[in-house]
Amino acid sequence: MNNRHIFIGLILAFSSFCHAQEAATDTVTSVRAEEILPESMIISEEEMMKDFANAANLTKVTGSARTLSYDDSLLVHRLSRIPTTIEMPLNNVTREYIQRYAEKMKGSVAVMLGASNFYTPIFEEALERYGLPLELKYLPVVESALRPKAVSRAGAAGLWQFMITTGKRYGLEVTTLVDDRCDPVKSSDAAARYLRDLYDMFGDWGLALAAYNCGENGIQKAILRSGNEKSDFWSLYDRLPRETRGYVPAFIAATYIMNYYCEHGIVPYDATLPAETDTIVVKHEVSFAQVASKCNVSLDALRALNPQYRRDVIPAQYVLRIPQGEVENFINKEDSIYGIDPSKGYITSGLRKSVTEDVGVEQVQAKTSSRSKSKSKALYVTVRSGDTLSAIAKRHGTTASKIKQLNNMRRDVIMPGQSLRVK
């Protein structure tokens, strides 16, 4: 009899343990994920393929994707195998986001997997530069569905979806003609610095990610309302803004699907990586149309390579990225590209057509004049494979020591994809 009581007691204890584990895993039960989806999770495969870079460089692979069976224990196991310091729990909300990516968004995920070939190296270099978890490279999947020109309903823009005020705080220029939030290299560097600052502030990646979505003040207010300074994302879940409640689960789901897409029968788009590119500092304000008319590069290719220019116009002393083989062609035809006309200055009819509608020729001429006279205009370049500080300095008429001073560098070490200020 005693043995029987002991056996029953063990069964009851085990049952209680299982229920406790289930409750810990399923911490959020009252909210449906569909009610708080990020904008990037409702964009169609067709809409994503309208992006210039996707349309030019991605090809759909023939064959139908299939849905494979999976259960919670398998999801928990897979999440636990992702090598990261960011917490990846499975609960009612994260499960629904994973299901959406794995079942309803197969086509969109296939496009993003193809596009990730262009942007992941840039993200990883920026995150590594500031010592951050490399899994944060999946954040732009949630933010923009990997579209450099994405603009949200709230006005956030670019791969990392910076608002204007936050972007400017981290050195991103936003003007009528230029939006650095759409520059993959500059915005990735800014995002890494912002995420580093948020983690330093909250000491928890869940809260840092939530703050990236709703701002530092929103998280600080939620912590104050909770009365617990050691709160984490899930303990504050019901106190957070509606959109932010779905943000961290979406990030967990995006991280999962970008690692386990094969197990869900998702076939990535084939990616044709663009040709090697180089940068040229334009001497005068010039339109994409003027460049395309003289060089062997299309308007769409110029837009894909230079997403930071809002109206197909590059202001004077700004950088134009073009295929490496066209650099010499551009230099040889420079005068005709600018359309130099002594009687009218350097603003040609091609440029007028691009910008007159919104800012007017007089404003453009005034900007050109002021920029040409300004000697203090900052100039940034992207480090290419094989570059050295000395080589970059020589290309831009400066010195290696000056570049180090401008970028607060103590060593001569630079990495491909890194953004450097040279003037």
Side-chain angles (χ1 to χ4, degrees):
M1 193 70 172
N2 287 339
N3 288 339
R4 184 183 176 190
H5 286 158
I6 292 172
F7 180 69
I8 293 173
L10 288 172
I11 291 175
L12 291 173
F14 181 73
S15 177
S16 297
F17 172 79
C18 290
H19 284 302
Q21 288 296 99
E22 184 179 350
T25 300
D26 227 359
T27 54
V28 182
T29 59
S30 60
V31 181
R32 291 188 59 78
E34 284 87 348
E35 297 174 354
I36 44 180
L37 288 174
E39 291 178 46
S40 64
M41 294 188 75
I42 55 178
I43 186 171
S44 68
E45 176 183 359
E46 293 72 25
E47 185 66 25
M48 292 177 67
M49 285 304 295
K50 292 179 182 178
D51 177 87
F52 294 125
N54 289 344
N57 300 300
L58 296 182
T59 305
K60 189 169 186 174
V61 176
T62 56
S64 59
R66 63 197 186 282
T67 300
L68 305 181
S69 62
Y70 56 94
D71 57 21
D72 281 5
S73 62
L74 190 56
L75 293 178
V76 170
H77 175 66
R78 288 173 180 169
L79 286 167
S80 71
R81 292 183 61 192
I82 297 174
T84 182
T85 56
I86 302 173
E87 186 184 6
M88 297 277 172
L90 181 72
N91 54 46
N92 275 1
V93 179
T94 55
R95 184 191 302 111
E96 288 197 39
Y97 279 86
I98 289 172
Q99 288 173 342
R100 185 172 184 89
Y101 274 128
E103 298 171 19
K104 298 179 181 178
M105 294 182 63
K106 284 182 178 290
S108 297
V109 171
V111 175
M112 288 188 285
L113 285 164
S116 67
N117 287 281
F118 314 139
Y119 306 116
T120 295
I122 298 172
F123 300 159
E124 288 181 336
E125 286 173 3
L127 295 168
E128 183 69 21
R129 194 176 304 137
Y130 297 101
L132 304 182
L134 294 185
E135 288 67 40
L136 292 170
K137 65 188 176 185
Y138 302 120
L139 196 56
V141 170
V142 179
E143 286 288 352
S144 62
L146 297 183
R147 295 170 301 138
K149 300 285 281 187
V151 179
S152 73
R153 290 187 294 267
L159 288 162
W160 294 88
Q161 290 289 280
F162 274 100
M163 296 295 288
I164 288 180
T165 52
T166 309
K168 287 188 173 181
R169 196 199 319 168
Y170 284 87
L172 300 178
E173 182 179 6
V174 183
T175 67
T176 301
L177 299 181
V178 180
D179 191 344
D180 282 342
R181 297 176 299 169
C182 298
D183 184 310
V185 175
K186 290 183 181 179
S187 65
S188 295
D189 187 85
R193 286 184 283 125
Y194 187 28
L195 286 164
R196 177 196 60 186
D197 292 348
L198 291 173
Y199 182 75
D200 288 345
M201 185 180 300
F202 296 107
D204 175 83
W205 276 116
L207 292 181
L209 290 169
Y212 190 93
N213 176 257
C214 70
E216 305 93 306
N217 291 338
I219 302 303
Q220 288 168 339
K221 288 177 183 177
I223 292 173
L224 285 174
R225 286 196 297 269
S226 74
N228 181 8
E229 292 184 3
K230 295 184 178 180
S231 300
D232 61 16
F233 174 80
W234 295 107
S235 67
L236 293 177
Y237 185 86
D238 291 328
R239 301 177 186 275
L240 296 172
R242 183 168 174 266
E243 180 184 345
T244 305
R245 292 201 300 268
Y247 187 75
V248 172
F251 169 74
I252 293 169
T255 303
Y256 171 86
I257 204 64
M258 297 299 278
N259 281 276
Y260 292 106
Y261 61 90
C262 283
E263 284 78 357
H264 294 276
I266 298 175
V267 183
Y269 271 59
D270 273 343
T272 303
L273 293 177
E276 290 290 322
T277 61
D278 205 342
T279 55
I280 291 174
V281 179
V282 302
K283 296 177 181 177
H284 308 287
E285 202 158 73
V286 66
S287 72
F288 285 177
Q290 288 170 273
V291 176
S293 69
K294 304 296 181 180
C295 297
N296 186 30
V297 57
S298 68
L299 278 173
D300 282 352
L302 288 170
R303 289 166 181 153
L305 292 171
N306 302 273
Q308 68 271 35
Y309 297 120
R310 307 176 81 172
R311 305 183 190 280
D312 288 1
V313 174
I314 309 110
Q317 302 305 315
Y318 279 71
V319 171
L320 168 67
R321 182 173 291 280
I322 58 175
Q324 206 168 66
E326 289 301 309
V327 172
E328 187 175 352
N329 194 17
F330 182 97
I331 294 171
N332 290 337
K333 299 178 179 179
E334 203 161 10
D335 285 351
S336 62
I337 289 172
Y338 293 133
I340 294 176
D341 184 335
S343 65
K344 297 181 180 178
Y346 297 108
I347 307 300
T348 65
S349 59
L351 181 57
R352 286 171 186 249
K353 186 176 180 181
S354 299
V355 299
T356 304
E357 226 175 79
D358 294 290
V359 296
V361 175
E362 292 79 8
Q363 290 173 277
V364 174
Q365 288 172 330
K367 288 180 182 179
T368 303
S369 175
S370 63
R371 283 185 182 129
S372 298
K373 292 175 182 177
S374 174
K375 294 182 181 179
S376 60
K377 183 69 186 178
L379 173 63
Y380 291 84
V381 300
T382 303
V383 178
R384 305 194 306 259
S385 179
D387 265 344
T388 63
L389 277 180
S390 297
I392 293 172
K394 186 176 180 180
R395 275 205 305 268
H396 296 281
T398 183
T399 64
S401 59
K402 180 64 175 177
I403 293 176
K404 288 171 65 177
Q405 181 183 352
L406 288 172
N407 294 275
N408 296 316
M409 296 169 60
R410 296 182 180 179
R411 300 185 298 162
D412 291 347
V413 178
I414 55 176
M415 296 178 292
Q418 181 178 348
S419 180
L420 283 179
R421 182 178 174 183
V422 295
K423 290 183 181 178

